[in-house]
Amino acid sequence: GAVVSQHPSRVICKSGTSVKIECRSLDFQATTMFWYRQFPKQSLMLMATSNEGSKATYEQGVEKDKFLINHASLTLSTLTVTSAHPEDSSFYICSARDIVRGYGYTFGSGTRLTVV
Amino acid sequence: EDKVVQSPLSLVVHEGDTVTLNCSYEVTNFRSLLWYKQEKKAPTFLFMLTSSGIEKKSGRLSSILDKKELSSILNITATQTGDSAIYLCAVVGGYGNKLVFGAGTILRVKS
């Protein structure tokens, strides 16, 4: 099946710094990738839809200046949490779909962000 | 607003029991419904359902979609402790084929 690689798996950063999370589709091209956030014991909340070569589409309530998304190629999308605060600590997951081969949405392994 | 509702929110059963998890949805431009199992990390894919009334089966797990009732069920028979996880239902729809998740059902199987 399709494989999505996400890095880093875990990151600890200081308040006020920025953190970049990468999401790569390894064996397929993804014109669209999705970024989710998950708090403990809660479901995945869609943050934004990342579109290759164009601006991301953000869900209501998600600050686009704080969560910068770049989808520069058909296999790579990045999420940058800018000026991170402790309340940004969460589990961030990306997903993509191999439309050509008709697989369902595949998730990256997730990134546990802790802001201290 | 697109919405996916799962029930129950949590469930505790004994090994060998059969469980049924429910998912209902209200989504514009419905495309498909997916079930995932999440343990410690990212969700792992179980089923994708697009047609009503056709059961998908994988071992002890099975699922079916009812487009008329806008719902789906996930059945797990002869449960094992390894089935303990969060089961997530997600629907593809809306503009841009977004994947919208329900809150999940936390299943705990006791030995």
Side-chain angles (χ1 to χ4, degrees), chain A residues 2 8-9 15 22 25 31 37-38 42-43 49 56 59-60 65 80 83 91 94 96-97 107 110 115:
Chain A
S9 58
S15 282
E22 290 190 350
S25 56
T31 53
R37 182 175 182 176
Q38 187 177 34
Q42 292 188 30
S43 189
T49 303
E59 295 299 301
Q60 198 169 15
D65 294 330
T80 301
S83 187
F91 191 53
C94 66
R97 186 178 177 203
F107 286 85
V115 184

Side-chain angles (χ1 to χ4, degrees), chain A residues 9 34 36 38 41-44 46 49 59 91 93 95 97 102-110, chain B residues 6 32 34 36 38 40-43 45 48 86 88 92 96-104 106:
Chain A
S9 58
F34 301 92
Y36 294 86
Q38 187 177 34
K41 297 188 179 176
Q42 292 188 30
S43 189
L44 281 75
L46 179 65
T49 303
E59 295 299 301
F91 191 53
I93 313 179
S95 82
R97 186 178 177 203
Y103 296 137
Y105 289 79
T106 303
F107 286 85
S109 53
Chain B
Q6 288 186 248
S32 57
L34 297 94
Y36 288 87
Q38 185 177 26
K40 289 184 180 167
K41 284 207 167 179
F45 173 76
M48 181 164 77
I86 301 174
L88 296 165
V92 181
N97 287 324
K98 297 186 297 186
L99 193 60
V100 179
F101 281 86
I106 301 172

Side-chain angles (χ1 to χ4, degrees), chain A residues 2-28:
Chain A
V3 178
V4 174
S5 172
Q6 186 174 341
H7 293 281
S9 58
R10 189 178 290 268
V11 59
I12 301 172
C13 71
K14 291 185 178 178
S15 282
T17 61
S18 295
V19 172
K20 182 186 278 189
I21 303 169
E22 290 190 350
C23 180
R24 289 180 189 274
S25 56
L26 295 187
D27 53 352
F28 67 100

